[in-house]
Amino acid sequence: MAKTSICFPFLVFFTLISLTPPTTAESQQSPTYLGFVRNATEFPSEDYYDYVIVGGGTAGCPLAATLSQSHRVLLLERGSVPHGNPNLMTQEGFLHALTENDDFHSPAQSFTSEDGVPNARGRVLGGSSAINAGFYSRADQNFYARSGINWDLRIVNRSYEWVEKAIVFRPELKNWQSAVRDGLLEAGVDPYNGYSLDHLEGTKIGGSTFDLSGRRHSAADLLSYAKASNIQVAVYANVERVLLASAGSYYSGWRQSAIGVVYRDEIGGYHHAMVREKGEVVLSAGAIGSPQLLLLSGIGPRPYLSSWGIPVAHHLPNVGQFLYDNPRNGISIVPPVPLDHSLIQVVGITGSGAYLEAASNVVPFASLQRSVFIRASASPVYLTVATLMEKIIGPQSVGSLRLASTDVRVNPIVRFNYFSNPGDLERCVNGTRKIGDVLRSRSMEDFRFRQWYGGRDFRYVGPALPIDQSNDVLMGEFCRRTVSTIWHYHGGCLVGRVVDRNLRVMGIDSLRVVDGSVFTISPGTNPQATVLMLGRYFGMKMLRERTKHG
Ligand SMILES: Cc1cc2nc3c(=O)[nH]c(=O)nc-3n(C[C@H](O)[C@H](O)[C@H](O)COP(=O)(O)OP(=O)(O)OC[C@H]3O[C@@H](n4cnc5c(N)ncnc54)[C@H](O)[C@@H]3O)c2cc1C
Ligand SMILES: *[C@@H]1O[C@H](CO)[C@@H](O)[C@H](O)[C@H]1NC(C)=O
Ligand SMILES: *[C@@H]1O[C@H](CO)[C@@H](O)[C@H](O)[C@H]1NC(C)=O
Ligand SMILES: *[C@@H]1O[C@H](CO)[C@@H](O)[C@H](O)[C@H]1NC(C)=O
């Protein structure tokens, strides 16, 4: 695949200017859960728990909070807490957090796939829900049937509600999001469904984890539901490996069982977190982190592990395979009118394989002095880059992950093979064509510049759509050339291949994976609602299993 433009369209603009940190004052009240969060250095070198959860992310936090109702829980997170960091806690900080980067500490760990597309993963309590764009929309009904998980749909709904009453808000649309909503309807993405958290074909306003003052809420906030006397959260705790032991007898056969994990604190000290009888280790380290940890623990394809000198505990050929990322394509413009800052709030759910979304990022005028746009601009106080993008459903193109190092802190090598499946390219052609329809709508008139000859044109940042949008070949080339990520990568520990329908690692006792790595497709328009629900749902399920089996 051709080398692609860097992070188009969200980030292309920002490589040209210097970023000034957001000034929005973050309210300083500390959330209650901070009372049980401690630096990993303060933990004993060995301790026992009922549940050890690896990864304080989007699924890990609701899971830990739920299990703590009646069991002793340890949640291990490699990053820090998001509170107090304005880049994480405000909408305006979104791009700053993604560009602020250092190898082992920044809350967004960047990585570039072998496809050449820059990407990011959360490294902070709250996980990727603490660095994401905040859009919240439940899974489509097809997802439940296709996911391979044996859902009880009433408990699914109750789990969503549990999340939503704590961290989901109805956003207020400003000019760009309103115009996109109207443009989608003019372009035939109907009916209009108003504000809804459900997945409904047509155009709707979805939920947001940013509240009306622009403050972020994330999975970390769900720790407020935890029972403080039963939960401990260690930050700056890098889990290096799951500890396994053989159990059984000559007659019954031997089985491997997870008995704990080894983690390392910031000053290099080792700690053993062991599980008591009937306890479990749960990996919630995300689509990159969970397969990586299984491989480092000797659970994976035998020849591959041997090539790294990792002792093989259990041969499981599909660990790290079936990794997916949904391509994002679209356009960005600099409009003649000032725009408000917005992350995703409106979505167009088409019937032809693509979802359309939008964002607008305010850039202070002063920081544009050095940019290429200054001469051309009509000098508003703020300049904005407005983005219209599409994400395809699925995808069907399959990627994979492999280790770059046996050091868990080093990102694995990932490859997503965008558009290697022709159906994915067709969906992208459909989606980008729909973007063309929206751009031609009346609602977009105000965002075009008046030309000397009297016509009105958009001023693009980065590539425009091909002029002949009826040409499938040209549109397909545009998709390949401008491919970027919407950060919805998933898979790597697929249901049916690595874990069973109860998310237990196949062939190993007392070990589950509960996060986006088990998904075969990205749920709904954007996945975080479903991942948050999954954490709560499996917490409830594990509590019930414990009481049933004594
Ligand atoms: C920039 C960006 C924007 C996005 N925008 C949206 C959006 O607007 N709406 C939406 O629905 N979705 C969005 N997403 C996607 C969504 O946020 C993710 O799909 C979801 O958060 C993944 O959840 P998870 O629980 O699988 O993993 P994560 O939330 O990433 O959690 C994994 C956690 O495990 C920790 N961890 C990993 N390895 C270890 C280890 N060895 N030891 C200790 N801890 C470890 C990590 O630090 C992290 O906290 C976005 C994602 C990104 C990155
Ligand atoms: C965690 O504790 C260690 C040892 O006391 C210290 O060096 C480190 O700075 C602490 N980290 C944070 C972020 O507080
Ligand atoms: C779950 O909620 C959705 C609306 O979000 C509804 O359509 C569905 O019928 C509910 N399912 C159950 C089993 O209650
Ligand atoms: C693309 O759109 C066309 C026309 O709406 C539709 O027939 C086709 O099924 C769509 N392709 C995919 C892969 O959804």
Side-chain angles (χ1 to χ4, degrees):
M1 170 175 305
K3 266 280 185 238
T4 51
S5 66
I6 303 305
C7 255
F8 172 84
F10 259 114
L11 288 183
V12 65
F13 184 65
F14 291 85
T15 60
L16 301 171
I17 55 165
S18 69
L19 293 172
T20 41
T23 47
T24 316
E26 189 208 327
S27 87
Q28 286 305 311
Q29 88 260 20
S30 311
T32 50
Y33 72 77
L34 288 178
F36 46 77
V37 176
R38 284 182 298 142
N39 188 333
T41 51
E42 293 168 31
F43 279 71
S45 61
E46 182 174 308
D47 208 349
Y48 285 79
Y49 305 88
D50 295 311
Y51 294 97
V52 173
I53 298 165
V54 179
T58 313
C61 290
L63 175 67
T66 303
L67 289 171
S68 76
Q69 267 166 37
S70 31
H71 302 284
R72 186 158 192 258
V73 174
L74 175 66
L75 180 63
L76 295 165
E77 169 52 46
R78 62 185 180 148
S80 176
V81 295
H83 297 87
N85 181 339
N87 284 349
L88 299 183
M89 297 307 291
T90 66
Q91 279 199 68
E92 290 77 11
F94 175 73
L95 288 170
H96 301 271
L98 285 183
T99 45
E100 167 201 337
N101 191 22
D102 86 57
D103 282 354
F104 295 131
H105 300 287
S106 52
Q109 179 182 21
S110 64
F111 64 96
T112 299
S113 63
E114 288 189 313
D115 313 273
V117 176
N119 211 319
R121 50 191 288 229
R123 178 169 48 198
V124 61
L125 201 62
S128 298
S129 77
I131 64 163
N132 72 14
F135 191 66
Y136 182 98
S137 191
R138 293 184 183 188
D140 50 299
Q141 289 299 318
N142 284 337
F143 171 79
Y144 304 108
R146 288 182 56 189
S147 66
I149 298 169
N150 202 2
W151 301 101
D152 176 333
L153 291 177
R154 278 165 320 160
I155 300 176
V156 164
N157 279 3
R158 271 191 253 138
S159 301
Y160 279 127
E161 286 156 18
W162 182 86
V163 170
E164 287 155 11
K165 67 175 193 266
I167 63 168
V168 178
F169 303 86
R170 179 184 178 151
E172 215 173 70
L173 302 196
K174 305 283 176 50
N175 50 0
W176 178 241
Q177 296 286 335
S178 303
V180 169
R181 175 194 56 194
D182 298 345
L184 282 165
L185 291 168
E186 282 184 66
V189 187
D190 47 24
Y192 179 52
N193 293 310
Y195 172 66
S196 177
L197 301 179
D198 289 333
H199 188 90
L200 306 167
E201 202 168 304
T203 294
K204 70 162 191 172
I205 303 169
S208 176
T209 49
F210 289 100
D211 64 24
L212 284 177
S213 69
R215 185 183 161 87
R216 185 193 292 277
H217 297 259
S218 75
D221 298 37
L222 299 175
L223 290 171
S224 314
Y225 280 120
K227 186 165 175 184
S229 58
N230 273 346
I231 191 169
Q232 299 192 55
V233 180
V235 288
Y236 301 108
N238 260 292
V239 176
E240 298 203 329
R241 162 167 76 86
V242 178
L243 296 167
L244 300 163
S246 292
S249 68
Y250 179 81
Y251 298 102
S252 64
W254 296 94
R255 275 180 73 86
Q256 299 275 348
S257 182
I259 56 168
V261 305
V262 181
Y263 65 98
R264 211 164 179 201
D265 64 34
E266 257 192 316
I267 52 173
Y270 282 103
H271 304 257
H272 286 65
M274 310 303 289
V275 293
R276 298 200 278 232
E277 207 188 335
K278 293 190 193 131
E280 290 185 51
V281 172
V282 186
L283 302 186
S284 298
I288 311 285
S290 289
Q292 179 193 24
L293 265 175
L294 287 179
L295 293 174
L296 292 175
S297 307
I299 301 168
R302 180 185 300 278
Y304 178 72
L305 294 175
S306 301
S307 73
W308 273 99
I310 298 171
V312 182
H314 184 63
H315 173 62
L316 205 50
N318 288 315
V319 175
Q321 303 300 306
F322 301 96
L323 188 71
Y324 306 87
D325 193 23
N326 305 67
R328 165 169 64 102
N329 291 84
I331 57 93
S332 287
I333 55 169
V334 178
V337 290
L339 289 189
D340 299 291
H341 183 93
S342 72
L343 297 177
I344 302 162
Q345 297 172 330
V346 163
V347 64
I349 301 180
T350 72
S352 61
Y355 305 133
L356 273 64
E357 301 182 347
S360 50
N361 299 289
V362 179
V363 182
F365 182 65
S367 64
L368 282 163
Q369 306 283 294
R370 269 158 290 134
S371 90
V372 296
F373 304 109
I374 185 69
R375 273 155 314 207
S377 100
S379 69
V381 179
Y382 290 98
L383 225 108
T384 322
V385 178
T387 293
L388 191 54
M389 57 196 143
E390 63 85 36
K391 162 205 172 170
I392 66 163
I393 64 169
Q396 291 180 325
S397 303
V398 184
S400 64
L401 156 164
R402 61 187 206 275
L403 299 174
S405 165
T406 52
D407 182 344
V408 73
R409 296 170 305 167
V410 177
N411 209 79
I413 299 163
V414 302
R415 168 188 285 278
F416 294 115
N417 298 315
Y418 298 106
F419 302 125
S420 58
N421 181 299
D424 286 348
L425 196 64
E426 191 183 321
R427 287 183 194 92
C428 180
V429 168
N430 283 354
T432 45
R433 197 166 273 154
K434 197 51 101 179
I435 288 178
D437 295 343
V438 175
L439 289 175
R440 280 186 296 275
S441 69
R442 259 184 308 114
S443 314
M444 289 289 133
E445 276 302 298
D446 289 350
F447 304 96
R448 297 172 183 254
F449 275 90
R450 205 175 289 285
Q451 302 298 321
W452 58 269
Y453 57 82
R456 305 191 79 161
D457 280 334
F458 290 112
R459 191 163 290 163
Y460 289 95
V461 185
L465 294 177
I467 292 172
D468 181 5
Q469 289 162 24
S470 64
N471 185 323
D472 284 355
V473 175
L474 289 178
M475 294 300 277
E477 274 167 17
F478 175 85
C479 286
R480 288 183 188 278
R481 185 162 47 88
T482 65
V483 66
S484 174
T485 181
I486 192 161
W487 308 284
H488 296 172
Y489 51 84
H490 54 280
C493 297
L494 237 54
V495 174
R497 294 189 187 267
V498 173
V499 295
D500 67 14
R501 54 203 292 117
N502 296 315
L503 307 190
R504 293 177 190 278
V505 175
M506 292 169 167
I508 310 268
D509 289 337
S510 310
L511 182 61
R512 285 193 225 229
V513 180
V514 178
D515 60 26
S517 70
V518 305
F519 293 162
T520 49
I521 43 169
S522 187
T525 62
N526 300 62
Q528 74 164 338
T530 313
V531 181
L532 290 156
M533 177 277 288
L534 181 80
R536 171 64 176 173
Y537 183 95
F538 268 82
M540 302 282 282
K541 182 178 164 66
M542 288 163 73
L543 288 177
R544 273 199 319 276
E545 284 173 5
R546 271 300 270 271
T547 43
K548 225 185 315 176
H549 306 300

